[in-house]
């Protein structure tokens, strides 16, 4: 493995010092207005911002060479494709003739797209390459409606609201130092072991918040992951609009002073990537979580478990099965998401006008301040 980026080792060191001193990081307490989670106009503005991108649409291993991946994201039917040379393309999954959906959701190998209605045919790069009775049309489109899509750090980044192929920026720039960290954690060499998608009844931001503070681990996760973690020992810092954070595992408290902590065994890094993704670097696998808002009180939870690609053998499959069961079902579905739904159920009651965040939850106030700033910059489409 390559040398760890100093951005990670520095944060792990600070966390180890905090643990040794017994003083967890303190942030600024905040009050969060409940309308943030209820207002449909706010959700529309958030969706508009997300559609402008960049958003993580898939892990690179989910898009076959000479093939496609069709997904419904942010209310848009999107079609990702990869040609035989490995180049990737983003288009709307909508026929240019009379608007039929071109392909069913999911991944498949293919050489072209043939519309099931009248048979218009498109190449993987979106060009219209064939149609019956061409002479009966006075005007023909050049091809499918494109949006910018690029592959970086093992992920597919899209700007769905933009028309054309040219991305407005490189994800590496967008991520600040985090791009090198994703490389260090091996995302480019990883493969998706399994992905779960499930609709849950809560605002998407409540789910992000659950990954931005460690205050709840001792109680909510008492019987699942708390045995592996120290109480209230997390550290986080903003990186542009994103967050880099680390939670102390119990092993960290036994570390000799001055020793460099193991970045996966002594602590667990969790990165929030603006606007709607969370990456968690567990000891031997990675969770890639993307949250797709459907309504103020509904979200599509999408969780891909990434494992090092060469380790996908029969022997490791059983281990990965157990890991997925523990983290996806026992922890995320039955604990974190149940809590988020429990909050959402009470939001409209008027019991709380605002929600209180203490100094152990300092990242939440920062997260909302960043969203407020970006929304006020005036996104209208
Ligand atoms: S709608 Fe696609 S070929 Fe007619
Ligand atoms: Fe949690």
């Amino acid at each position: 493995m390559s040398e760890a980026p100093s951005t990670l080792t520095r944060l792990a060191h600070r966390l180890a010092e905090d643990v040794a001193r017994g003083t967890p990081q303190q942030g600024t307490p905040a009050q969060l207005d409940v309308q943030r989670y209820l207002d449909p106009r706010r959700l529309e503005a958030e969706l508009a911002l997300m559609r402008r991108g960049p958003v993580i649409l898939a892990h690179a291993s989910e898009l076959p060479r000479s093939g496609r991946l069709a997904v419904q994201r942010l209310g848009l039917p999107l079609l990702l494709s990869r040609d035989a040379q490995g180049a990737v393309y983003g288009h709307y999954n909508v026929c240019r003739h009379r608007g039929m959906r071109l392909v069913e959701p999911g991944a498949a190998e293919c050489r072209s797209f043939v519309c099931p209605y009248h048979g218009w045919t498109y190449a993987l790069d979106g060009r219209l390459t064939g149609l019956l009775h061409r002479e009966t049309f006075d005007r023909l489109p050049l091809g499918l409606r494109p949006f910018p899509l690029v592959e970086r750090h093992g992920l597919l980044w899209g700007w769905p609201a933009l028309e054309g192929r040219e991305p407005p920026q490189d994800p590496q720039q967008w991520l600040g130092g985090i791009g090198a960290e994703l490389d260090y954690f091996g995302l480019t060499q990883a493969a998706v072991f399994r992905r779960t998608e499930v609709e849950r009844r809560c605002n998407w931001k409540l789910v992000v918040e659950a990954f931005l503070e460690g205050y709840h681990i001792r109680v909510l996760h008492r019987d699942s992951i708390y045995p592996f973690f120290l109480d209230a020992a997390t550290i986080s810092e903003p990186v542009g609009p994103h967050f880099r954070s680390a939670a102390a595992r119990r092993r960290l408290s036994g570390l000799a002073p001055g020793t460099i902590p193991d970045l996966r065994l002594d602590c667990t890094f969790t990165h929030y990537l603006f606007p709607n993704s969370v990456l968690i670097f567990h000891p031997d696998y990675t969770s890639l979580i993307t949250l797709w808002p459907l309504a103020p009180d509904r979200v599509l939870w999408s969780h891909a478990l990434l494992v090092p690609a060469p380790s996908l053998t029969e022997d490791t499959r059983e281990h990965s099965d157990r890991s997925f069961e523990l983290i996806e079902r026992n922890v995320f579905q039955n604990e974190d998401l149940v809590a988020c739904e429990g909050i959402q159920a009470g939001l409209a009651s008027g019991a709380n006008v605002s929600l209180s965040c203490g100094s152990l939850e300092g990242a939440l106030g920062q997260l909302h301040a960043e969203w407020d700033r970006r929304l006020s910059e005036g996104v209208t489409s």
Side-chain angles (χ1 to χ4, degrees):
M1 191 180 270
S2 56
E3 197 179 326
S6 59
T7 42
L8 293 175
T9 50
R10 181 180 39 77
L11 203 68
H13 259 300
R14 272 177 53 201
L15 182 63
E17 283 167 15
D18 283 356
V19 166
R21 276 199 314 266
T23 53
Q25 185 195 36
Q26 301 286 306
T28 308
Q31 293 290 320
L32 303 173
D33 186 328
V34 298
Q35 287 307 319
R36 290 177 180 280
Y37 312 95
L38 295 169
D39 182 0
R41 281 168 312 174
R42 184 174 184 100
L43 185 83
E44 273 313 311
E46 290 168 352
L47 280 169
L49 193 66
M50 288 184 188
R51 288 184 191 119
R52 281 184 17 176
V55 283
I56 299 170
L57 292 171
H59 184 262
S61 67
E62 295 175 284
L63 178 57
R65 190 173 274 251
S66 192
R68 53 86 167 169
L69 173 67
V71 288
Q72 182 78 15
R73 296 294 186 237
L74 306 169
L76 300 171
L78 305 178
L79 177 56
L80 321 185
S81 55
R82 188 193 294 280
D83 66 19
Q85 285 69 45
V88 299
Y89 304 92
H91 298 104
Y92 282 28
N93 186 15
V94 177
C95 181
R96 289 293 219 181
H97 174 217
R98 294 213 348 252
M100 175 71 177
R101 176 164 70 186
L102 267 187
V103 300
E104 293 297 312
E109 289 182 9
C110 58
R111 294 226 201 105
S112 60
F113 307 119
V114 183
C115 179
Y117 201 177
H118 311 89
W120 281 28
T121 301
Y122 303 88
L124 292 176
D125 64 6
R127 275 174 305 120
L128 179 64
T129 53
L131 68 157
L132 298 170
H133 305 293
R134 175 187 282 268
E135 68 286 357
T136 62
F137 290 89
D138 57 356
R139 263 180 33 186
L140 285 177
L142 293 175
L144 297 173
R145 193 315 196 156
F147 67 87
L149 181 78
V150 298
E151 183 173 349
R152 286 284 184 286
H153 309 297
L155 300 167
L156 293 166
W157 305 82
W159 290 257
L162 305 192
E163 184 156 6
R165 299 217 179 278
E166 215 36 60
Q169 67 193 135
D170 191 312
Q172 195 173 357
Q173 235 180 326
W174 163 245
L175 289 169
I178 288 178
E181 298 169 21
L182 304 186
D183 293 342
Y184 170 74
F185 282 126
L187 285 203
T188 309
Q189 294 81 33
V192 170
F193 174 70
R194 193 160 298 161
R195 183 184 278 278
T196 319
E197 300 212 327
V198 53
E199 219 181 290
R200 300 293 302 238
R201 298 208 64 88
C202 61
N203 187 277
W204 69 275
K205 296 188 293 296
L206 291 173
V207 188
V208 171
E209 292 169 10
F211 291 107
L212 278 179
E213 52 92 354
Y215 180 42
H216 71 276
I217 295 176
R218 178 171 173 174
V219 176
L220 184 69
H221 301 310
R222 189 191 61 192
D223 300 321
S224 57
I225 54 169
Y226 179 52
F228 305 112
F229 286 90
L230 294 173
D231 179 32
T234 55
I235 191 166
S236 69
E237 60 185 9
V239 183
H242 321 291
F243 278 92
R244 169 193 295 127
S245 61
R249 298 179 76 89
R250 291 197 183 238
R251 280 175 41 130
L252 190 66
S253 60
L255 213 62
T259 315
I260 297 175
D262 185 298
L263 299 181
R264 291 194 101 145
L265 299 178
D266 293 323
C267 55
T268 294
F269 276 91
T270 297
H271 286 23
Y272 162 69
L273 303 186
F274 191 92
N276 64 334
S277 297
V278 176
L279 280 154
I280 305 167
F281 302 99
H282 309 284
D284 50 7
Y285 55 92
T286 299
S287 285
L288 166 62
I289 295 162
T290 32
L291 302 161
W292 304 102
L294 302 169
D297 60 353
R298 279 171 48 225
V299 62
L300 179 73
W301 158 276
S302 184
H303 173 207
L305 188 77
L306 303 174
V307 297
S311 81
L312 268 177
T313 63
E314 274 313 304
D315 289 351
T316 55
R317 215 161 258 287
E318 207 179 309
H319 172 70
S320 299
D321 267 331
R322 276 200 307 274
S323 305
F324 194 70
E325 182 76 3
L326 169 75
I327 202 73
E328 166 63 15
R329 210 157 70 130
N330 298 4
V331 180
F332 296 158
Q333 293 296 335
N334 292 348
E335 293 177 345
D336 289 302
L337 289 162
V338 166
C340 294
E341 290 187 336
I343 295 171
Q344 191 73 39
L347 282 177
S349 69
N352 296 322
V353 176
S354 62
L355 308 181
S356 302
C357 302
S359 62
L360 290 174
E361 302 154 285
L364 274 57
Q366 290 174 295
L367 168 81
H368 286 276
E370 182 66 25
W371 266 95
D372 287 351
R373 196 178 69 73
R374 288 183 176 254
L375 291 176
S376 72
E377 280 170 6
V379 178
T380 52
S381 61

